[in-house]
Amino acid sequence: MSIRSQRKEEHLKLAQMFFNKEKYNSFDQLHLLRPALPETKVDINVLATKMFNKNVSAPFFINAMTGGSDKSKIINQALGRIANEENIALALGSTSILAKEKEQLDSFYIARIEDPNGILIANVNPETPVQTVKDIVHELHADALQIHINTIQEIAMPEGDRNFFWLNNIKEIRAEIDIPIIIKEVGFGLDQNTIHILKNEGISYFDIAGSGGTNFAQIENARNKYDVSYLEDIGLPTVISALMAQKEQVDFIVSGGVRNPLDVLKGLTLGGQYVGISNVFLQKFNDQGYDGLQQLIAEWKEQLAALIAVYGKNDLVSLTEIIKYYDLPLKNQIDQLIK
């Protein structure tokens, strides 16, 4: 096994070790005003929407997790099957390993084999050569491309990058790729100025991936001979990052600490077009396998449809109209950061 593949498997093990489905985060400080008399009915059909010109059954999807090793191939095969059965989108983990280890393509392509017509989102780091990105998009028949930006993880990673001049390569990728490009954080949140800069460079989609879920500083600290645990708490909360994206009037995905259907609803009320879920789904698969994860996703659809009815709505478009209020600690942060 190569060093890169070994790192992929270490990430999977550590994500499982540190997983806490009850972890407190900014979603807990955001509340929605519920009408006691909603005058609605539960209809799962209200969840149906379009994503990158394809129909999907729900506005949430399986977000980037893994790829590039034997174990991750097994996971991606299952995720591809589930995405196909449930008609939701699937984002793959970073495919940048393919720049040097093309033999790992199967660990990603297996998802496309299992879901030949569904939405598959490729994922690369911002330093990936443009030609490699073009090859990956072509070989996976990708519907969109995530470019992840992850400075904190790189600093915490023993073998991580130390050069963060990424913008020019992102611009070159944007010029050469003819599918939607999504700039994605990895659990530390996109700030408003970064969104603004990239928006002006022609990037129209963002995955805010705020803090509150998987903490890659924690994961990398467990692999590091030095103590870099001080990096674990410097992320931008998901709710604040979402409000920043909303302020910039861009299309964005809410992810980072989504634990249940109510968090999905909150993400949609913040203006997210879609909501991405990673570790909750990964650990459900680890615990209960294919059937357990598929059942969970089916249950989330039913529960999200019920919540939409409970909050007095009968479509996705009007969810941003639900009145929101915040606990004071989060409200204070919002007042300081959102101008």
Side-chain angles (χ1 to χ4, degrees):
M1 183 186 297
S2 72
I3 293 175
R4 297 177 190 85
S5 293
Q6 182 177 345
R7 182 169 72 234
K8 299 277 189 177
E9 301 221 343
E10 287 175 354
H11 285 168
L12 289 171
K13 291 178 182 177
L14 291 168
Q16 184 173 18
M17 179 188 303
F18 292 126
F19 176 65
N20 176 9
K21 66 179 181 180
E22 304 300 331
K23 183 178 181 179
Y24 183 84
N25 64 38
S26 59
F27 284 119
D28 296 305
Q29 298 183 70
L30 162 62
H31 308 280
L32 307 178
L33 184 62
R34 177 189 62 83
L37 186 64
E39 292 295 294
T40 54
K41 67 175 181 179
V42 177
D43 181 5
I44 200 167
N45 293 316
V46 304
L47 303 182
T49 187
K50 278 188 175 292
M51 189 175 187
F52 307 127
N53 296 318
K54 290 184 178 179
N55 295 320
V56 290
S57 65
F60 65 84
F61 69 101
I62 304 169
N63 213 348
M65 295 189 202
T66 191
S69 69
D70 291 342
K71 183 174 181 180
S72 59
K73 180 179 179 180
I74 295 170
I75 294 171
N76 280 338
Q77 181 175 25
L79 296 180
R81 286 178 58 199
I82 291 170
N84 183 50
E85 289 290 330
E86 292 298 325
N87 188 26
I88 60 173
L90 166 62
L92 297 169
S94 175
T95 59
S96 298
I97 190 174
L98 299 178
K100 296 184 178 180
E101 298 184 33
K102 292 185 178 180
E103 67 274 13
Q104 293 294 344
L105 176 62
D106 285 350
S107 70
F108 300 98
Y109 187 65
I110 190 68
R112 176 52 87 193
I113 292 174
E114 296 291 343
D115 191 14
N117 300 312
I119 295 174
L120 190 67
I121 303 170
N123 181 309
V124 297
N125 70 45
E127 291 188 318
T128 308
V130 175
Q131 187 57 52
T132 300
V133 177
K134 292 172 72 174
D135 291 343
I136 289 169
V137 167
H138 173 73
E139 290 167 340
L140 296 176
H141 307 290
D143 298 281
L145 173 72
Q146 289 178 338
I147 302 176
H148 67 261
I149 52 179
N150 61 333
T151 54
I152 302 304
Q153 182 187 9
E154 295 291 349
I155 287 294
M157 188 188 303
E159 64 276 60
D161 292 333
R162 296 296 183 268
N163 185 340
F164 305 131
F165 289 102
W166 292 340
L167 182 57
N168 283 341
N169 201 54
I170 290 174
K171 289 161 65 175
E172 290 179 15
I173 293 172
R174 170 64 282 171
E176 294 293 329
I177 300 298
D178 60 0
I179 59 174
I181 289 179
I182 307 162
I183 298 298
K184 182 188 188 306
E185 239 288 350
V186 298
F188 297 94
L190 287 175
D191 62 285
Q192 188 171 343
N193 189 54
T194 296
I195 295 170
H196 184 78
I197 290 170
L198 290 166
K199 173 186 173 182
N200 288 342
E201 295 294 346
I203 301 296
S204 55
Y205 290 91
F206 298 84
D207 184 340
I208 60 168
S211 65
T214 304
N215 189 321
F216 275 99
Q218 183 183 44
I219 287 173
E220 299 298 353
N221 186 50
R223 303 178 59 247
N224 203 321
K225 65 180 179 180
Y226 303 110
D227 180 11
V228 293
S229 58
Y230 58 87
L231 296 172
E232 295 175 11
D233 297 323
I234 65 175
L236 194 62
T238 298
V239 170
I240 291 179
S241 190
L243 292 172
M244 288 180 170
Q246 185 184 69
K247 189 78 171 180
E248 285 298 313
Q249 298 182 321
V250 295
D251 294 326
F252 65 97
I253 293 164
V254 173
S255 69
V258 178
R259 303 154 299 182
N260 54 56
L262 182 57
D263 288 345
V264 174
L265 179 63
K266 289 179 179 180
L268 296 172
T269 68
L270 289 167
Q273 284 193 323
Y274 315 103
V275 175
I277 302 98
S278 296
N279 211 10
V280 169
F281 287 171
L282 175 61
Q283 301 316 323
K284 188 68 173 183
F285 175 75
N286 285 337
D287 292 343
Q288 298 184 17
Y290 176 93
D291 291 339
L293 178 54
Q294 183 177 14
Q295 181 179 353
L296 179 67
I297 290 173
E299 289 173 354
W300 276 35
K301 289 179 187 178
E302 294 175 357
Q303 293 165 21
L304 179 59
L307 284 169
I308 289 172
V310 163
Y311 280 91
K313 301 300 178 183
N314 55 22
D315 57 56
L316 297 177
V317 176
S318 63
L319 294 181
T320 56
E321 299 171 0
I322 295 175
I323 295 173
K324 294 171 283 292
Y325 57 102
Y326 307 92
D327 290 346
L328 282 179
L330 183 62
K331 182 64 167 60
N332 287 337
Q333 291 178 316
I334 293 169
D335 289 345
Q336 293 179 68
L337 294 172
I338 310 296
K339 303 300 182 182

